[in-house]
Amino acid sequence: MKLTLRARLALWAALATGLAVALVAAGLFWAVNGFLRQAQEQRLLSVVGAVQGRVEGLLRPSREDDDPLRSLLGVATVSQSDLERVADEVDRRGVELRLVAVQAAELASVGTRSFPQGVPLDLRAGPGAYLSRDGEHLILVRGVGGRSVQLQVAVDARALTDARRAFGQALTVLLPLALLFSLLVGWVVAGRLLRPVRTLENAARAVGEGGDLRRPLPGAGRGDELARLALTMQEAFARLADARDREQGFLRAAAHDLRSPLAALTARVEGTLARDRDAGRYRADLREIGTDITRLSTLANHLLLLARDPGAVQRAPVPLLDLAADAVDRARELDPLADVDLAASGPVTVPGDRVLLGQAIWNLTTNAVRHAPQATVTVTVRAVPGGAAVTVRDDGPGVDAATLARLGEAFYRPDVSRTADASGVGGHGLGLALARHVATLHGGTLHLDSAPGRGFTATLHLPG
């Protein structure tokens, strides 16, 4: 079962709190334990300083007894009661003593009754203290009366173990409470933080159900992350609305332009079949039907090119000069009276789709020939920094700024363009739109420049 975002946030908050508590507890334990250990060792050092002199006095032989062997192994002359008396004189609160000496290559010892069990006899003297196995005593070793005799002093260190035990018990209780509390707080805080998300979710659902993609979303703005998320969704919905409007307009215009030649074709076929005609009339009717079919074919081809998937665009070296020369030749065949020239300084090659680029150059050329029938049309191919440019210019009447701003929109045809070319095939308002689309697919641009009385210039920029 997948947890909700609110539950995951609450769990993460509890986990973070648990880790923080554990780290703080570890730090406190280390600091408190070190402080208590240091205090116990200081007390042990003071006890050793007081005990060592007394024990050495017990080990020193009397003046009438100058036996060197007894002097060396004088530990044998010290009884348990002697050590008990020394311990009581120094500190009655948990001080225990033990003397260890070598006798006949073996270790012998004598100590107070409560000296901790399990402490090895062969502990080495050093600056550091030992901790007994039960953890209740600290032991410090000092040499006395010669190298063969060692004094072991143990003091009660149960304060250390008691502190550790109390700390562990407190942590055992407080850590679950802290986790539960942080889980509860995280749940409440996460709910408050996610409340705008739920509001945004409901608003987005309402937009989807109602279809009003331009409906403002609550909280959209440049503030925090949620506000920017709402603004991004609102802008995305607006772009989807624009795309939907363009698609609907495109489909309506395509249906309208398809309906007209289909209706004309149907009428001509029905009129031709209505009565018998001579061979000449049949040939004329068939030519008209062929013209309508050509218009339908051209329109369908343009629609397919406009709907082409950008991922299907080929990337191969394309000689632009060859495509421009082919477009000029076809334009001259289409209208023998057209004045169409080609200008180029040399071969220019760009990576792209040969079919799409050829159709774009052909559309720009036929657009100039169709809308400026008595003008001179010049197609120029040249290399430019970063790529290449194909310019189609005519010295015709040109267009005004309002018309120029809309040229390149699918199915947009100003009144001046509603004329047929030399073949009798009228325009559909897709030529410039297709050229602009091809430029975009190749990472280039289509720039249009015109003014009344200054002709018309279309420049297709393509990256190299």
Side-chain angles (χ1 to χ4, degrees), residues 4 15 60 92 121 144 163 165 218 236 238 296 327 366 375 412 440 458:
T4 63
L15 179 60
R60 189 179 302 115
R92 296 179 180 274
L121 295 177
V144 293
R165 188 179 300 109
L296 282 173
T366 55
Y412 173 70
T440 302

Side-chain angles (χ1 to χ4, degrees), residues 334-460:
L334 192 64
D335 184 2
L337 301 179
D339 183 8
V340 186
D341 298 321
L342 176 63
S345 58
V348 179
T349 303
V350 296
D353 191 302
R354 186 185 185 100
V355 175
L356 290 179
L357 292 176
Q359 188 66 42
I361 297 174
W362 164 245
N363 286 357
L364 295 178
T365 305
T366 55
N367 181 74
V369 173
R370 181 185 301 120
H371 301 311
Q374 298 179 352
T376 298
V377 178
T378 303
V379 181
T380 305
V381 181
R382 68 185 189 279
V384 296
V390 179
T391 302
V392 179
R393 186 183 186 283
D394 65 72
D395 55 2
V399 297
D400 56 29
T403 303
L404 183 66
R406 296 201 59 188
L407 288 178
E409 296 180 8
F411 297 103
Y412 173 70
R413 293 175 294 183
D415 293 338
V416 295
S417 69
R418 294 183 182 272
T419 59
D421 55 24
S423 65
V425 181
H428 301 282
L430 292 177
L432 292 178
L434 177 60
R436 189 182 299 277
H437 185 62
V438 170
T440 302
L441 289 179
H442 287 78
T445 59
L446 177 65
H447 179 70
L448 304 179
D449 183 26
S450 182
R454 293 175 48 192
F456 188 90
T457 303
T459 304
L460 179 65

Side-chain angles (χ1 to χ4, degrees), residues 96-98 111-119 137 139 152-154:
E96 307 295 337
L97 305 176
R98 185 170 71 176
T112 57
R113 288 187 297 271
S114 299
F115 193 86
Q117 300 296 321
V119 178
H137 292 83
I139 303 166
Q152 296 179 355
V153 181

